[in-house]
Amino acid sequence: MAVVNRTDVRSNELDTGVANDLAAGITNSSTGFGGIDGDEQWAAEIRRLADLRNATILAHNYQLPAIQDIADHVGDSLALSRVAAEAPEDTIVFCGVHFMAETAKILSPDKTVLIPDQRAGCSLADSITPEELQAWKDDHPGAVVVSYVNTTAAVKALTDICCTSSNAVDVVASIDPDRDVLFCPDQFLGAHVRRVTGRDNVHVWAGECHVHAGINGDELTEQARAHPDAELFVHPECGCATSALYLAGEGAFPEDRVKILSTGGMLDAARETRARQVLVATEVGMLYQLRNAAPHTDFQAVNDRASCKYMKMITPAALLRCLIDGADAVDVDPQTAARARQSVQRMIAIGQPGGGE
């Protein structure tokens, strides 16, 4: 099936009066595209334009509710990239941050991959450059590099094996215990891996997601003590993950109610929980999916200010512009993509990477 390009789409009457009227309201600023409400008229036009482009729309769990509702698939970045690789559509519209769209392109090199706003970056992915990783490798010859999937394609290309937050422990445990491991870039996930595996030859890069790092132990402790009957869902990228385990270990909070989980793991746990209230330590966009999964449970953010400005750059206006103009296309150098693909495939071969970051 041929890829539908911009000219083909326009010949298929992409520019209807509705599309033109909506597009006329789009504004652009340093914080993203705005001026459009995610209402029923917008949703109908998004579906029509996606059909014309033969596109599937993927949305990360941290996206705005309107974006999640219009998407064909919602999930974590790796799971969505695997959906992209198997989707019959020629065009993938990835509503997430840039490294996620790169991963989709790595696994779907023959497809057109679009991100509604290419300025949507990631503080965690930016916390290690390929030059820094190469220098670290040079300082530790023979070490195995394990990189979180929340990294750029160029970093994945220098990686031996990728991991997600749900399988990072299994990935590191699969490596010869006598070999050093360089774990990057998230220091909190790395600390979690060291704690669970008990390995002292895991060297951890001092990177972080600014949103997750901002969910601190004091806030978690205060919330936990104020809601003693709640469960705790804590993402291992959070600065408070160690505090959560400390609370359980000291008996300040029941151990069986403290769960260190990936985003996919949180959804699974939400469907199974019998708790009336759950305190959630991750980016606040996750609450929408959790509340949909278990509407009778009260999900509350440990830190209600934990919102990723980059994720929220994928607005209704940005998605409309993307489908009208075919913007913004994501490309990865073929050699870089080939090397990066190997590190992702090695991870997949180890075990279940679904439930990703």
Side-chain angles (χ1 to χ4, degrees):
M1 186 181 294
V3 173
V4 181
N5 62 34
R6 179 172 177 173
T7 302
D8 294 331
V9 170
R10 289 192 179 279
S11 70
N12 279 306
E13 299 181 348
L14 184 150
D15 284 331
T16 64
V18 174
N20 286 334
D21 289 345
L22 287 172
I26 295 176
T27 60
N28 186 13
S29 70
S30 61
T31 57
F33 294 95
I36 301 293
D37 293 326
D39 55 18
E40 290 183 6
Q41 183 185 49
W42 167 84
E45 195 62 7
I46 291 297
R47 293 299 347 148
R48 188 185 72 83
L49 296 173
D51 288 344
L52 285 175
R53 282 198 179 277
N54 191 29
T56 188
I57 300 173
L58 311 180
H60 189 269
N61 290 317
Y62 296 162
Q63 289 290 293
L64 295 166
I67 301 298
Q68 294 190 38
D69 285 344
I70 199 64
D72 297 299
H73 304 277
V74 180
D76 64 75
S77 65
L78 182 62
L80 291 175
S81 292
R82 297 178 75 183
V83 167
E86 298 171 1
E89 292 83 4
D90 302 309
T91 298
I92 307 301
V93 178
F94 209 120
C95 298
V97 294
H98 199 270
F99 81 80
M100 298 179 181
E102 277 191 336
T103 306
K105 185 66 176 179
I106 288 166
L107 296 179
S108 310
D110 297 327
K111 294 182 180 180
T112 298
V113 176
L114 305 175
I115 184 169
D117 192 333
Q118 65 180 343
R119 297 170 295 183
C122 173
S123 60
L124 178 56
D126 289 343
S127 66
I128 187 166
T129 67
E131 292 79 15
E132 288 170 330
L133 177 52
Q134 185 59 61
W136 200 27
K137 291 176 66 171
D138 292 343
D139 288 340
H140 297 82
V144 178
V145 177
V146 176
S147 293
Y148 194 19
V149 290
N150 296 34
T151 46
T152 65
V155 167
K156 287 183 177 73
L158 293 171
T159 295
D160 293 302
I161 181 167
C162 285
C163 72
T164 69
S165 62
S166 61
N167 73 357
V169 170
D170 290 338
V171 166
V172 171
S174 74
I175 297 167
D176 185 336
D178 293 328
R179 294 190 67 181
D180 283 2
V181 174
L182 305 183
F183 189 96
C184 69
D186 189 77
Q187 60 182 309
F188 300 112
L189 180 57
H192 174 68
V193 169
R194 289 190 68 176
R195 182 170 54 242
V196 175
T197 62
R199 291 179 61 149
D200 58 9
N201 61 349
V202 176
H203 309 277
V204 179
W205 188 260
E208 63 182 31
C209 161
H210 72 284
V211 174
H212 283 99
I215 306 174
N216 63 58
D218 290 341
E219 285 178 318
L220 181 91
T221 300
E222 181 180 344
Q223 291 270 23
R225 287 176 175 161
H227 303 89
D229 295 326
E231 285 188 343
L232 299 183
F233 288 5
V234 182
H235 195 284
E237 279 182 44
C238 288
C240 65
T242 300
S243 296
L245 294 174
Y246 176 81
L247 285 172
E250 293 296 306
F253 205 80
E255 188 172 352
D256 62 350
R257 287 201 230 134
V258 177
K259 304 178 189 301
I260 309 297
L261 300 164
S262 65
T263 55
M266 287 184 182
L267 279 173
D268 291 339
R271 296 184 184 103
E272 296 174 1
T273 186
R274 295 183 178 180
R276 292 184 178 182
Q277 187 174 61
V278 176
L279 302 177
V280 182
T282 191
E283 207 273 351
V284 293
M286 191 67 204
L287 293 172
Y288 185 66
Q289 280 294 306
L290 293 172
R291 288 165 179 165
N292 285 341
H296 300 299
T297 301
D298 177 24
F299 293 95
Q300 295 295 326
V302 169
N303 180 339
D304 60 10
R305 304 176 307 283
S307 177
C308 175
K309 65 179 182 179
Y310 300 114
M311 284 286 184
K312 273 48 178 182
M313 292 179 77
I314 310 303
T315 60
L319 181 54
L320 179 66
R321 163 189 169 269
C322 172
L323 287 169
I324 290 175
D325 292 342
D328 292 318
V330 175
D331 289 306
V332 179
D333 170 75
Q335 284 190 322
T336 299
R339 295 197 302 271
R341 193 176 304 118
Q342 290 180 337
S343 65
V344 174
Q345 289 173 338
R346 289 187 192 112
M347 172 190 66
I348 292 171
I350 282 180
Q352 294 295 326
E357 80 282 337

